[in-house]
Amino acid sequence: MQPYFFPYIGYFQLIRSVDRFVVYDNIKYTKKGWINRNRILQNGAPVWFSLPLMAGSDGLDIGARYLASDFKPESLLNRLHGTYRRAPCFEAVYQLAEGILRHPDPNLFAFLEYGLHRVCDHLGIQTEWVVSSRVPIDHDLKAQEKVIALCRAVGTDLYVNPIGGQSLYERAAFAEEGIELRFLQADPVEYRQFDAEFVPWLSILDVMMFNTVEEIQQRFLPGYTLL
């Protein structure tokens, strides 16, 4: 799975649902995706917030990209403070976000992985992590073939992917290798966001600002279906 910047609740459901989570550092960075940006609530509407990156070739892997030298965490922290300061869980989540955004490593993969680990720790998710480049496979493989090779290398007979992967992966190809392919579909979630109309599927920051860890563990993390 690609690393994302404060991803939505479904990403953490996926991590929690498996025994071993493989995160990609040697996959191409994609523009206008979710790798270095996400959405938060602002004045009752979803707005983008992002990590600025140094200029780099479109062919570079995530692990070869870096944050811009003029990146200032204060800018994002000020936006979070202005947006969520009245949220019920603001203090603890703001401190968590501050610790992540002030992480000193400018490497994009290292920065994102650190943030994901910190959020998992906050939510009590203890799944084992594996970085893709450290798995002994042919890393020139692409797409489905690379995933199957990773599954074989780590010795699993079950691979779980987000629901969007239904258009990318074929159950028959995995079955030929003795691997069951399942897709995780997150259940719709809803919670109070101040007094505004609910906006779904925002960053995990939004979920954590309005819900205690216990509520997230009991209501949201188990809220998915494996297809």
Side-chain angles (χ1 to χ4, degrees):
M1 189 70 184
Q2 294 176 333
Y4 294 134
F5 183 46
F6 289 121
Y8 81 126
I9 185 66
Y11 194 97
F12 296 96
Q13 291 173 336
L14 178 66
I15 297 174
R16 184 176 178 269
S17 74
V18 297
D19 296 322
R20 188 180 294 116
F21 180 72
V22 178
V23 60
Y24 281 111
D25 61 334
N26 57 348
I27 193 170
K28 287 184 180 180
Y29 167 80
T30 53
K31 295 179 180 179
K32 297 183 179 180
W34 301 93
I35 293 174
N36 64 309
R37 66 176 189 163
N38 216 293
R39 301 182 308 155
I40 57 174
L41 189 71
Q42 190 169 313
N43 299 322
V47 296
W48 291 100
F49 71 116
S50 61
L51 293 169
L53 302 181
M54 291 180 61
S57 167
D58 290 345
L60 289 177
D61 288 344
I62 296 172
R65 299 300 303 266
Y66 288 83
L67 302 185
S69 58
D70 59 353
F71 167 58
K72 292 181 174 58
E74 290 78 10
S75 176
L76 293 181
L77 289 168
N78 288 339
R79 290 184 64 188
L80 292 177
H81 189 279
T83 295
Y84 291 111
R85 65 184 182 279
R86 294 185 293 106
C89 302
F90 171 76
E91 291 297 335
V93 179
Y94 183 82
Q95 289 180 20
L96 173 67
E98 183 174 28
I100 292 170
L101 291 173
R102 294 192 187 281
H103 183 56
D105 195 329
N107 177 269
L108 178 60
F109 175 78
F111 191 93
L112 295 175
E113 187 191 27
Y114 176 77
L116 292 171
H117 274 297
R118 287 289 305 274
V119 173
C120 283
D121 290 343
H122 183 78
L123 297 177
I125 300 173
Q126 299 179 338
T127 301
E128 177 187 349
W129 285 60
V130 178
V131 176
S132 62
S133 65
R134 300 172 190 168
V135 181
I137 66 167
D138 177 1
H139 288 283
D140 289 330
L141 292 171
K142 305 296 182 183
Q144 180 170 273
E145 287 71 26
K146 186 170 186 176
V147 174
I148 290 174
L150 285 167
C151 288
R152 288 200 305 259
V154 301
T156 188
D157 58 4
L158 171 64
Y159 174 67
V160 181
N161 195 83
I163 192 68
Q166 285 185 317
S167 62
L168 303 175
Y169 305 125
E170 300 174 358
R171 293 184 193 271
F174 282 78
E176 287 178 3
E177 301 294 335
I179 303 166
E180 182 182 4
L181 173 61
R182 304 286 295 275
F183 296 98
L184 186 146
Q185 180 171 277
D187 298 340
V189 300
E190 187 166 341
Y191 47 88
R192 184 176 180 183
Q193 295 168 325
F194 301 124
D195 294 319
E197 183 177 351
F198 180 70
V199 179
W201 309 125
L202 298 180
S203 163
I204 190 65
L205 287 173
D206 191 83
V207 178
M208 296 190 298
M209 287 289 186
F210 292 107
N211 301 275
T212 66
V213 170
E214 292 74 18
E215 288 171 332
I216 296 170
Q217 290 173 336
Q218 295 171 15
R219 290 186 56 203
F220 302 139
L221 287 178
Y224 61 85
T225 302
L226 287 181
L227 304 176

